[in-house]
């Protein structure tokens, strides 16, 4: 879960031209593996009944439950068989074009470092727990796998069209913080939610945030916050529908239409919204 904050301009010492580095699995300490295990144990208790079936299936198929930080080569081998995706290590945030290019080629970039034991609940840069536990299970789903590849190509195009911000909002409100309707109930699938114990509960159960039916144009106009729980979640009807909608729509005219329009402030309900839950915003407005 990221924004354009800590970006470097060229690959750091020791990284390849495409910004990838060795995972360095042998260098993880027992304490670092234990951080993974702690986070894993916490989430695995919360996710049944909250996470989407596609996510839970992926988690199972990839055998992330074996204990310790996963070895990217083993993970990639399983993933490759399922959907043709791989996981490659990067030193942290990489430039947008690099990020999109890897994605368009079915390579998911992941941080190789893990948060410290005093950062279990929150950190700003995507670590291996966020990237692998949060993102990779969805990549085992054939439909979502296609969506992310298409998103990578769309990202390269958005850069040319000057619409990075608009397309990034789509990523934020689907890949990072998306909800999906399943058998009539809401489920989480966004990586920022499924990798966070507090937000896994908040996103579904708390009266504070808005929960709004997904609308492409609306989402691409909506600001988001990167420093705390979301004030809006957007609900897709299904992954098939998300893929269909994004792949069949030519975004160029859409960008032309929305680029001149003002952004919709975080938490604002607008005309045309399918309001599933009108949030109280009590959490966002609390005194601190
Ligand atoms: C979607 C948007 O381009 C975003 O800021 C990118 C930039 N670089 C990144 N780099 C890494 N490693 N991980 C990410 O999620 C992103 N996100
Ligand atoms: N259809 C989009 C590309 C895209 C597909 C899927 C997700 C995001 C973007 C475009 O024309 O740019
Ligand atoms: Fe992420």
């Amino acid at each position: 879960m990221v924004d354009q904050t800590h970006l470097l301009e060229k690959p750091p010492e020791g990284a390849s031209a495409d910004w990838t580095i060795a995972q360095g699995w042998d260098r993880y300490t027992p304490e670092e593996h234990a951080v993974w295990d702690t986070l894993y144990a916490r989430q695995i208790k919360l996710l049944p009944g909250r996470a989407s079936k596609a996510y839970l299936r992926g988690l199972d198929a990839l055998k992330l439950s074996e204990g310790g930080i996963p070895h990217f080569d083993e993970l990639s081998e399983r993933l490759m068989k399922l959907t043709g995706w791989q996981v490659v290590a990067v030193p942290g945030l990489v430039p947008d074009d690099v990020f999109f290019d890897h994605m368009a080629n079915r390579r998911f970039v992941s941080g190789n470092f893990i948060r410290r034991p005093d950062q279990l609940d929150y950190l700003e840069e995507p670590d291996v727990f966020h990237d692998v536990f949060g993102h990779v299970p969805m990549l085992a789903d054939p439909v979502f796998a296609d969506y992310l590849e298409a998103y990578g190509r769309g990202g390269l195009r958005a850069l040319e069209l000057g619409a990075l911000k608009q397309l990034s909002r789509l990523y934020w409100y689907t890949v990072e913080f998306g909800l999906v309707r399943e058998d009539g109930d809401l489920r989480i699938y966004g990586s920022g939610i499924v990798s966070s114990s507090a937000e896994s509960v908040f996103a579904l159960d708390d009266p504070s945030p808005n929960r709004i039916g997904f609308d492409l144009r609306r989402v691409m106009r909506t600001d988001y916050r990167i420093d705390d729980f979301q004030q809006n979640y957007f609900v897709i009807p299904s992954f098939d529908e998300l893929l269909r909608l994004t792949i069949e729509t030519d975004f160029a005219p859409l960008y032309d239409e929305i680029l001149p329009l003002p952004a919709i402030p975080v938490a604002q309900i607008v005309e045309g919204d399918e309001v599933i839950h009108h949030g109280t915003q009590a959490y966002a407005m609390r005194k601190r």
Side-chain angles (χ1 to χ4, degrees):
M1 98 190 77
V2 214
D3 213 323
Q4 284 76 283
T5 36
H6 319 275
L7 290 173
L8 297 166
E9 260 143 43
K10 61 179 180 53
E13 277 289 304
S16 310
D18 68 356
W19 289 73
T20 59
I21 55 172
Q23 182 190 7
W25 192 86
D26 293 331
R27 288 195 295 272
Y28 293 126
T29 64
E31 291 72 29
E32 289 177 317
H33 285 299
V35 169
W36 173 284
D37 290 341
T38 303
L39 292 167
Y40 185 93
R42 233 168 42 164
Q43 288 316 96
I44 208 68
K45 269 191 259 166
L46 285 172
L47 294 180
R50 295 181 183 274
S52 81
K53 286 180 210 158
Y55 176 87
L56 294 170
R57 262 200 306 271
L59 199 57
D60 198 48
L62 294 171
K63 307 200 195 321
L64 292 181
S65 54
E66 286 176 341
I69 301 167
H71 201 299
F72 288 3
D73 291 341
E74 289 169 16
L75 190 56
S76 293
E77 203 173 307
R78 293 200 185 102
L79 201 51
M80 180 61 86
K81 283 188 198 135
L82 294 166
T83 57
W85 274 78
Q86 284 171 274
V87 180
V88 295
V90 289
L93 289 182
V94 300
D96 298 317
D97 60 328
V98 176
F99 181 70
F100 293 139
D101 188 69
H102 279 298
M103 213 174 255
N105 290 287
R106 295 203 174 223
R107 290 187 299 270
F108 190 77
V109 300
S110 169
N112 65 344
F113 64 94
I114 193 150
R115 67 197 73 184
R116 296 190 313 261
D118 61 314
Q119 299 173 311
L120 289 192
D121 292 316
Y122 186 74
L123 89 168
E124 259 172 41
E125 284 210 79
D127 73 338
V128 62
F129 189 75
H130 168 82
D131 280 334
V132 171
F133 187 89
H135 285 278
V136 174
M138 286 307 297
L139 292 176
D141 180 75
V143 176
F144 203 80
D146 285 354
Y147 171 66
L148 218 62
E149 183 204 316
Y151 183 91
R153 275 185 273 113
L156 295 169
R157 188 165 185 238
L159 285 175
E160 285 168 16
L161 297 171
L164 177 65
K165 199 175 205 174
Q166 285 65 33
L167 191 70
S168 296
R169 291 175 179 144
L170 172 63
Y171 191 83
W172 192 264
Y173 283 118
T174 58
V175 179
E176 294 286 348
F177 290 99
L179 304 185
V180 59
R181 195 178 282 287
E182 255 175 34
D183 308 324
D185 291 325
L186 303 189
R187 292 283 187 266
I188 57 181
Y189 71 90
S191 59
I193 312 176
V194 296
S195 64
S196 157
S197 64
E199 199 155 356
S200 304
V201 176
F202 180 87
L204 293 177
D205 297 348
D206 203 280
S208 189
N210 296 322
R211 298 182 185 88
I212 305 168
F214 180 86
D215 177 84
L216 187 57
R217 194 180 265 91
R218 191 321 180 184
V219 164
M220 291 206 294
R221 288 188 55 200
T222 308
D223 278 338
Y224 57 80
R225 56 188 302 172
I226 63 167
D227 60 331
D228 206 336
F229 297 151
Q230 299 304 300
Q231 290 177 252
N232 290 317
Y233 297 97
F234 290 94
V235 182
I236 56 168
S238 68
F239 298 110
D240 282 312
E241 189 60 11
L242 174 66
L243 178 65
R244 193 188 62 73
L245 221 99
T246 48
I247 230 168
E248 285 180 2
T249 307
D250 179 359
F251 284 19
L254 206 56
Y255 293 149
D256 286 341
E257 183 196 320
I258 65 181
L259 275 167
L261 301 177
I264 300 170
V266 154
Q268 186 170 308
I269 297 287
V270 298
E271 209 187 306
D273 278 347
E274 181 208 334
V275 180
I276 295 163
H277 171 78
H278 193 154
T280 62
Q281 301 299 339
Y283 175 80
M285 295 182 311
R286 78 200 183 284
K287 296 217 173 59
R288 294 199 252 190

